[in-house]
Amino acid sequence: SWVCIRANTTRGFLWSDVETRTLLNIWGEQDIQAALDGNFRNSFVYRDVSRRLGAMGFERTPEQCRVRIKSLKRQYLLAKEGNLRNNGQYHKICKFYDTMERILSNRPALDPQEFIDSGAGGEEAVDGLEEDGEDAQDAYSESTGECPYPAETEVKLEYPTVPIPIPVKVTVGNNSKCLSSFIRLRPQNSSQSASNLTARAPKRPRKRRANFPMEKLMEQFLEQSAQAEDNFYRVEEQRLQAEDRRREAEHARELHMLQMLGQMFSSISSSTRPTADADLTSIPTLPLFIFSVLERHYCLGSTSHRGMDDDILSLVKSIVPPLTSKKHKGQDGRIGIIGGCQDYTGAPYFAAISALKVGADLSHVFCTKDAATVIKSYSPELIVHPVLDSPNAVEEIEKWLPRLHGLVVGPGLGREDFLLKTAKEVIEKSKARDIPIVIDADGLWLVTQQPSVIQGYQKGILTPNFMEFTRLYEALHHEPMDSSDHQRSVMELSVAMGNLTLVLKGEQDLITDGSKVISCSTEGSGRRCGGQGDLLSGSMGVLAHWAHAASTAGIIRSVNPSVVAAFGACSLTRQCNSQAFQRHGRSTTTSDMIQEIGSAFKKLFES
């Protein structure tokens, strides 16, 4: 008997649903399928599949990709046979049945029963997989449970003409004698003798298998695989929660220790009390362990900032919708820009094109009639509506609001009373439809004049620079702003606006919703050119839609979605500024920054 023992190194860690769907999307692309159809040797095809999968953030070897595809096709064909036998119920167990059906529906049809009987043979017929003999035997063993046997060949037997002694028992009366006689056997020819022996030999009974339906076995296998995958994710989630609790407990202990140390040094004179920028080694009376704790405390600012940045950044990554072939146009975001007049046509263009570059499917610009032609000439990607200065502007824009997922008000709006009045009414209509609203530039001038237009709206975000922030602060508080403490000022203004999300743009962007202040310190550059704020507001409009959709779906909890969106947009704008400055230096413009959105987005949110 033959014994098949093989250590298969291609069976890697469990594939997640997202990773598997990404693999299928790549494998189903037209150029990949064409390469598989046209070549029996296709290792280079799976190297390309592995490379594309790595570009999407999933590291798998070409062999792991090939084995995973083989397994998925086997499940699909078995599920398809069960689907025909069981009136369409079996495919519910095969998670990727519909995706495989879409990809393989244009390929030459296979007989599922033939695939089951022949093991890997059916799979090789699908796309001409490149396998050596060992791989084929392994695939055969997986599907049948037996080791392959060499094919039977005809054997010719030659028998020599020699006497063969045969004992003969002769019985005479009551006595028996055993005689040995020589009987000469002369077969007429060797081939006839071999055929006679074969005819007389009893047939070897075939091994019977247990009569288990293949559908039942496959169903059990798929259920166990799904259960194992669910258990893994559950354990991973518990591990992350335990890690969070550990960090919180450690932070609480440090705070308690610092409080105790504060009480210990309350009697020390102010001349010897350490300050944030004091040299702690100059205090000889401190024990060594107290020195180390205090030194760590005074360094906690930057460390905690980095940790907080990483935490918020991970939330931004979680709200980015995956790219799948099942989506339709507009599903990932339809953004409207309210702005654009005769004097300012670049700002609405920058905001609208940035929204598209970040990932929105459609971008609408509602501008004045004399600005429409100019904005259209910038890019054919934008949908331009020349209605902002028409007598029935609000009614014209309101017709589009049910189709929009986010609104950006202010880029290139101008300060004419009629345009500001139209913008105010559009904001009111959008609030009634619960649409996220980002207000920038001249839209902030409107808010300064009439804060109630957006006050208390939790899906609203304001993005002032320092001068716009100062005007808005003094309009609400009726007193000069304390420029020495920006964090306190931005917190106070947010509270005064009804815990509205605010982004104070500057050397470090300060983001708050009135509960805490988050600083976005992603490295940018010293270059400040016109239009960067429009890039920020356009990208923020898309991220605000994604963040609130993720919050509704339960993906993010206990964090204000508007804060997550604001942090993501600030990080992206700063990264674009840094990359563009590395290429162009002092000559960097906003157009150069827009060209960097794709690579910057991938580096921050998809790596």
Side-chain angles (χ1 to χ4, degrees), residues 123-161:
E123 244 180 287
E124 291 171 354
V126 174
D127 60 359
L129 289 175
E130 178 181 346
E131 293 182 344
D132 54 15
E134 187 179 11
D135 246 345
Q137 290 177 6
D138 175 66
Y140 182 92
S141 302
E142 284 183 359
S143 60
T144 63
E146 293 183 32
C147 296
Y149 288 88
E152 295 183 0
T153 56
E154 181 180 358
V155 181
K156 292 185 178 181
L157 304 177
E158 297 292 341
Y159 296 91
T161 308

Side-chain angles (χ1 to χ4, degrees), residues 249-513:
E250 182 179 356
H251 185 60
R253 285 195 299 270
E254 290 177 350
L255 290 178
H256 181 65
M257 176 64 72
L258 290 171
Q259 290 173 357
M260 294 177 60
L261 290 173
Q263 295 174 1
M264 290 171 56
F265 298 123
S266 61
S267 59
I268 300 178
S269 64
S270 59
S271 60
T272 59
R273 186 174 299 156
T275 60
D277 49 357
D279 183 6
L280 297 178
T281 58
S282 64
I283 307 177
T285 58
L286 295 179
L288 183 60
F289 82 95
I290 295 179
F291 161 72
S292 63
V293 172
L294 281 178
E295 185 177 36
R296 181 176 181 182
H297 168 63
Y298 287 115
C299 295
L300 267 180
S302 59
T303 305
S304 60
H305 258 312
R306 288 195 298 270
M308 184 178 295
D309 284 4
D310 293 340
D311 292 342
I312 300 294
L313 200 62
S314 64
L315 290 177
V316 179
K317 292 180 180 180
S318 69
I319 70 173
V320 177
L323 297 175
T324 65
S325 58
K326 292 185 178 181
K327 290 185 175 179
H328 55 78
K329 180 177 64 177
Q331 191 170 347
D332 279 343
R334 297 183 291 270
I335 307 302
I337 311 296
I338 307 297
C341 60
Q342 184 178 10
D343 294 333
Y344 306 108
T345 58
Y349 162 74
F350 286 142
I353 200 68
S354 298
L356 286 178
K357 290 281 189 178
V358 168
D361 293 339
L362 296 171
S363 193
H364 297 258
V365 178
F366 300 91
C367 62
T368 61
K369 185 176 181 180
D370 48 8
T373 304
V374 180
I375 296 174
K376 285 182 179 179
S377 68
Y378 293 152
S379 173
E381 310 289 344
L382 309 181
I383 304 172
V384 183
H385 307 270
V387 298
L388 195 56
D389 54 351
S390 63
N392 58 339
V394 177
E395 290 76 8
E396 291 291 334
I397 299 174
E398 186 179 10
K399 293 190 301 186
W400 288 92
L401 291 182
R403 309 183 191 182
L404 300 181
H405 296 121
L407 202 67
V408 180
V409 180
L413 178 63
R415 297 182 181 179
E416 294 184 15
D417 292 339
F418 178 75
L419 297 179
L420 293 176
K421 180 181 178 183
T422 300
K424 175 186 176 183
E425 295 184 24
V426 171
I427 291 174
E428 296 290 351
K429 300 288 185 182
S430 302
K431 286 164 56 180
R433 292 186 174 275
D434 203 34
I435 299 174
I437 304 172
V438 178
I439 300 182
D440 185 38
D442 293 327
L444 294 171
W445 178 264
L446 170 64
V447 176
T448 302
Q449 307 301 318
Q450 304 178 55
S452 61
V453 70
I454 196 68
Q455 195 168 21
Y457 185 57
Q458 296 306 305
K459 289 190 177 182
I461 306 175
L462 305 184
T463 60
N465 57 27
F466 181 75
M467 292 302 298
E468 293 164 338
F469 179 83
T470 302
R471 281 198 300 263
L472 187 57
Y473 182 93
E474 293 177 353
L476 267 75
H477 290 84
H478 306 288
E479 61 180 9
M481 183 187 73
D482 181 9
S483 59
S484 63
D485 192 349
H486 289 172
Q487 291 200 8
R488 188 185 70 177
S489 298
V490 74
M491 181 87 76
E492 290 175 352
L493 182 56
S494 175
V495 173
M497 290 295 295
N499 291 96
L500 194 68
T501 300
L502 284 176
V503 179
L504 174 56
K505 297 177 288 189
E507 183 180 358
Q508 288 187 346
D509 297 332
L510 300 181
I511 306 164
T512 183
D513 60 354

